[in-house]
Amino acid sequence: MDYDDLLNRGKSGLPENVETRGRFEVPAARVLQQGKKTTVINFGDICDSLNREQDTVAKYLLRELGTAGSRREGRLTLNGAFTADSVNAVIKKYVESYVMCRECHLPDTKLQKEGRRTFIRCEACGARYGVD
Ligand SMILES: [Zn+2]
């Protein structure tokens, strides 16, 4: 699949997945808005597909969206009204920065903490590099 195919897929209808590259599929966020709160009801599934701790992903989402929130039983509730699109955009950014290996573009990576720094270690190609 080349880049144009990805773009075309992106344009056709509602996205089923945030990112599709071979077997790597991240479910699109399903959100429930109630007043001034937004709940991502499949947050746990999203984190599972990324192979990341819910805590880590939640912190990133809250920071990027500039809000506070709480997590309970695989759901993430955000203070404020957010659309599924805006949540998906942040998750996509997270995937690009913290999940996809920048060398081989596969998602088979792990985060490693060393002191204050975080490294991405790719199990597919062996690359290791620091991220902010
Ligand atoms: Zn790699």
Side-chain angles (χ1 to χ4, degrees), residues 72-119:
R72 197 163 65 94
E73 291 168 4
R75 296 176 170 214
L76 176 69
T77 300
L78 309 161
N79 292 339
F82 296 96
T83 61
D85 280 355
S86 59
V87 173
N88 282 325
V90 176
I91 291 168
K92 191 163 192 289
K93 216 171 134 186
Y94 182 85
V95 169
E96 283 164 3
S97 305
Y98 296 100
V99 181
M100 304 300 278
C101 171
R102 73 176 178 195
E103 301 295 331
C104 69
H105 307 291
L106 289 173
D108 304 326
T109 61
K110 285 204 166 125
L111 292 183
Q112 297 178 328
K113 286 255 181 206
E114 270 180 38
R116 291 186 178 179
R117 297 211 62 195
T118 300
F119 292 86

Side-chain angles (χ1 to χ4, degrees), residues 12-132:
S12 60
L14 285 171
E16 288 286 318
N17 299 296
V18 174
E19 182 88 13
T20 302
R21 210 183 294 247
R23 65 197 161 80
F24 183 50
E25 295 193 346
V26 182
R30 287 165 56 209
V31 306
L32 194 68
Q33 281 189 21
Q34 289 175 304
K36 293 193 182 302
K37 286 188 188 285
T38 305
T39 300
V40 182
I41 56 181
N42 59 341
F43 183 70
D45 292 341
I46 292 170
C47 296
D48 285 350
S49 75
L50 301 179
N51 196 23
R52 290 291 181 267
E53 297 291 331
Q54 292 185 20
D55 225 29
T56 311
V57 182
K59 272 183 197 154
Y60 181 86
L61 261 170
L62 295 176
R63 197 178 66 217
E64 288 292 313
L65 293 169
T67 188
S70 60
R71 208 156 48 70
R72 197 163 65 94
E73 291 168 4
R75 296 176 170 214
L76 176 69
T77 300
L78 309 161
N79 292 339
F82 296 96
T83 61
D85 280 355
S86 59
V87 173
N88 282 325
V90 176
I91 291 168
K92 191 163 192 289
K93 216 171 134 186
Y94 182 85
V95 169
E96 283 164 3
S97 305
Y98 296 100
V99 181
M100 304 300 278
C101 171
R102 73 176 178 195
E103 301 295 331
C104 69
H105 307 291
L106 289 173
D108 304 326
T109 61
K110 285 204 166 125
L111 292 183
Q112 297 178 328
K113 286 255 181 206
E114 270 180 38
R116 291 186 178 179
R117 297 211 62 195
T118 300
F119 292 86
I120 287 184
R121 157 100 186 152
C122 177
E123 306 203 309
C125 77
R128 185 173 179 277
Y129 52 92
V131 289
D132 292 329

